[in-house]
């Protein structure tokens, strides 16, 4: 009605129900704390003796594609590519679980900056490693579809923990 359309016309009659179902799906991550997400995806393997012997050995998963919704504009989403890296501490997480963690964290109303912090916190809990890096490249509809309408603008955030923060050469290896 506020848009000047007839809410009783065929194409709009069931729209409120469809939108409610969509919100349940795309905001699923809001139902869980970081700790609960860590528990959901806590599939780890003890390191074998001949794996990850060096102090700079690491696991890096690049280009995990996720999307989220801006907490300032709700209806406008943003697409992101996430890179997660960690230095194992006696156990490794199943690789698909890293992508699942990123995806579930993305299913919240939030800022891109918070996504990196939440992923790092969850990864630390699951792996027991304090050496975590999360790099995110985002394309925000807030900038591309409205306002300035700059379709090429990208936002980059970096969340560094432990040795990734104190030893810049490690960060440069994943960048």
């Amino acid at each position: 009605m506020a848009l000047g359309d007839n809410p009783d016309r065929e194409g709009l009659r069931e729209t409120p129900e469809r939108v409610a179902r969509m919100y349940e799906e795309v905001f699923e991550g809001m139902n869980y704390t970081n700790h609960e997400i860590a528990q959901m995806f806590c599939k780890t393997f003890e390191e074998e003796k001949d794996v990850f012997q060096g102090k700079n050995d690491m696991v890096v998963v690049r280009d995990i594609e996720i999307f989220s919704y801006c907490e300032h504009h709700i209806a406008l989403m943003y697409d992101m590519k996430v890179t997660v890296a960690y230095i194992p501490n006696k156990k490794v997480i199943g690789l698909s679980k890293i992508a699942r963690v990123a995806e579930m964290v993305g299913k919240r109303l939030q800022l891109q900056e918070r996504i990196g912090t939440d992923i790092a916190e969850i990864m630390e809990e699951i792996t027991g490693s304090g050496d975590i890096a999360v790099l995110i490249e985002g394309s925000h509809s807030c900038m591309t579809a409205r306002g300035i309408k700059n379709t090429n603008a990208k936002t980059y955030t970096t969340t560094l923990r432990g040795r990734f923060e104190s030893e810049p050469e490690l960060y440069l290896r994943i960048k």
Side-chain angles (χ1 to χ4, degrees), residues 69-130:
Y69 284 80
C70 170
E71 67 183 26
H72 298 143
H73 300 100
I74 298 177
L76 296 173
M77 61 188 255
Y78 48 103
D79 299 311
M80 292 163 282
K81 286 188 179 183
V82 178
T83 297
V84 178
Y86 72 101
I87 299 173
N89 181 19
K90 299 184 181 156
K91 59 185 175 179
V92 294
I93 182 176
L95 296 177
S96 70
K97 302 305 185 240
I98 297 171
R100 291 183 189 282
V101 165
E103 178 184 52
M104 186 61 76
V105 169
K107 291 182 172 187
R108 296 172 170 170
L109 281 173
Q110 65 200 328
L111 301 176
Q112 179 174 325
E113 297 89 323
R114 184 70 188 159
I115 293 171
T117 300
D118 287 348
I119 292 171
E121 182 179 302
I122 293 165
M123 287 294 297
E124 184 172 357
E125 181 175 341
I126 293 172
T127 65
S129 174

Side-chain angles (χ1 to χ4, degrees), residues 1 6 63 67 88 93 99 113 125 136 147 175:
M1 196 68 127
N6 176 3
D63 296 329
F67 73 93
I93 182 176
E113 297 89 323
E125 181 175 341
I136 303 175
K175 188 173 173 195

